[in-house]
Amino acid sequence: MPLDIQAGIQRPKIDMHCHVWYMDDWETSSDHLVQAGEMLGITELWCSSVIQNGILASIEEVRPHNDTILKAMARHPKRIRGWCFVIPGHFNDALHEIERCLDGGMIGIKLYNQYRLNDPAVHPILALASERRVPILEHAGYTVPEHRIRQPLISHGIHFTEASQKYPDAILVHAHIGGGGDWEHTVREMRNASPNVYIDVSGSNLDDGQVEYALAELGAERVLFGTDGTMAGAVGKVLDADLTEEERELIFWGNAERILKEQGATPTEPRTKGAPA
């Protein structure tokens, strides 16, 4: 049966990996993000604003990034949800910031490449996430050596597995299978991780077979739809993959809905159109 592209574009989707950046014109940026999402059937977008390049910034530098997300959530309450970005290390500051953001309506924690996920500095955050039943989205990938020089502490699959063995109840998301590097390697390393460890399909690397490989290694229940800015590419990647309709529905909607349910939340809008659930 030929793929109905238009129906696939219109079917409801939860984009659990995207960004509204801390900058002067964040309002316009958030408006454009929402408009682009609506064109692709995306009913809600889980956004963060991060400090990149491994910078160990202070909590005073981190907080305005999260404030931008809180403001974007207020501007688009039916479309934008928030990940609270923190930098482990000074963990009391990080824990207080997480509590502030979660109490303000955010639904998860965002970590970048300042520390690997299995570093003891991250353990208090893993414990808090387990207690609050919120997911952690970690910037990740098995990068090539020349890129590893710029990101020496980037996490990959083995770090997720090790973290999940210590905190099996923690909901952990390996960001962007298409973020570059050896994506097969990093997925394989998560075979024996807790079933609470996921990977998202985002990233500008659109190699054929990424989604099918993730499902073969981890199962459809552990693959999430995210775009990280490559919105049409991520939609096309899932639509083009050799999947059953049930598997495609788990990726586009069901798995994210299950993660929200862990914290007593539901999607911002009911799933009322597109392919049957």
Side-chain angles (χ1 to χ4, degrees):
M1 182 176 178
L3 180 66
D4 187 337
I5 299 294
Q6 193 57 43
I9 291 172
Q10 292 176 351
R11 71 187 296 165
K13 307 169 187 70
I14 295 173
D15 181 353
M16 48 62 58
H17 184 169
C18 48
H19 300 281
V20 173
W21 298 103
Y22 169 48
M23 60 183 183
D24 291 338
D25 199 22
W26 68 266
E27 296 97 334
T28 300
S29 175
S30 70
D31 294 348
H32 287 171
L33 180 68
V34 168
Q35 291 165 9
E38 288 175 346
M39 294 172 65
L40 295 168
I42 296 171
T43 62
E44 62 182 87
L45 306 111
W46 300 3
C47 298
S48 66
S49 177
V50 305
I51 295 174
Q52 300 175 322
N53 300 321
I55 295 171
L56 296 175
S58 69
I59 192 63
E60 290 76 21
E61 295 169 287
V62 167
R63 193 171 290 120
H65 289 261
N66 291 324
D67 287 342
T68 296
I69 300 302
L70 290 167
K71 289 185 288 187
M73 291 164 55
R75 186 175 178 87
H76 297 285
K78 292 294 187 180
R79 290 289 183 264
I80 292 180
R81 301 182 106 146
W83 296 97
C84 178
F85 169 68
V86 292
I87 298 174
H90 299 295
F91 60 84
N92 282 332
D93 286 340
L95 296 181
H96 291 153
E97 180 66 3
I98 291 168
E99 295 281 14
R100 179 182 81 93
C101 292
L102 295 181
D103 292 345
M106 293 195 188
I107 49 83
I109 301 164
K110 170 69 175 180
L111 303 178
Y112 205 70
N113 62 3
Q114 285 87 357
Y115 290 82
R116 292 195 180 102
L117 187 60
N118 64 340
D119 192 298
V122 185
H123 288 179
I125 296 173
L126 293 167
L128 177 59
S130 299
E131 178 186 345
R132 294 287 300 254
R133 303 310 303 144
V134 297
I136 295 175
L137 173 61
E138 172 88 11
H139 175 82
Y142 194 84
T143 54
V144 296
E146 55 266 34
H147 292 167
R148 214 168 299 149
I149 294 171
R150 299 199 301 269
Q151 299 192 73
L153 297 181
I154 189 172
S155 298
H156 56 83
I158 193 63
H159 306 119
F160 283 79
T161 295
E162 292 176 358
S164 78
Q165 289 168 348
K166 189 167 184 65
Y167 293 91
D169 293 332
I171 303 167
L172 309 175
V173 184
H174 180 303
H176 37 58
I177 190 175
D182 190 342
W183 48 268
E184 292 180 331
H185 184 107
T186 197
V187 172
R188 285 196 304 271
E189 287 178 326
M190 296 191 294
R191 284 172 177 163
N192 299 318
S194 157
N196 291 314
V197 175
Y198 298 78
I199 194 164
D200 79 50
V201 305
S202 72
S204 57
N205 182 317
L206 303 178
D207 286 357
D208 188 38
Q210 287 178 350
V211 176
E212 292 94 331
Y213 189 83
L215 263 70
E217 294 293 332
L218 305 178
E221 295 80 8
R222 293 172 61 187
V223 181
L224 293 160
F225 174 70
T227 66
D228 195 19
T230 306
M231 299 182 82
V235 172
K237 187 186 296 186
V238 179
L239 292 181
D240 185 60
D242 184 13
L243 307 175
T244 67
E245 278 305 299
E246 291 77 13
E247 291 168 337
R248 194 170 280 113
E249 185 63 22
L250 283 172
I251 295 171
F252 275 143
W253 187 274
N255 293 333
E257 183 179 39
R258 189 175 65 251
I259 288 174
L260 288 173
K261 188 176 180 180
E262 287 280 336
Q263 55 188 283
T266 58
T268 57
E269 293 189 357
R271 192 198 182 293
T272 57
K273 61 181 181 177

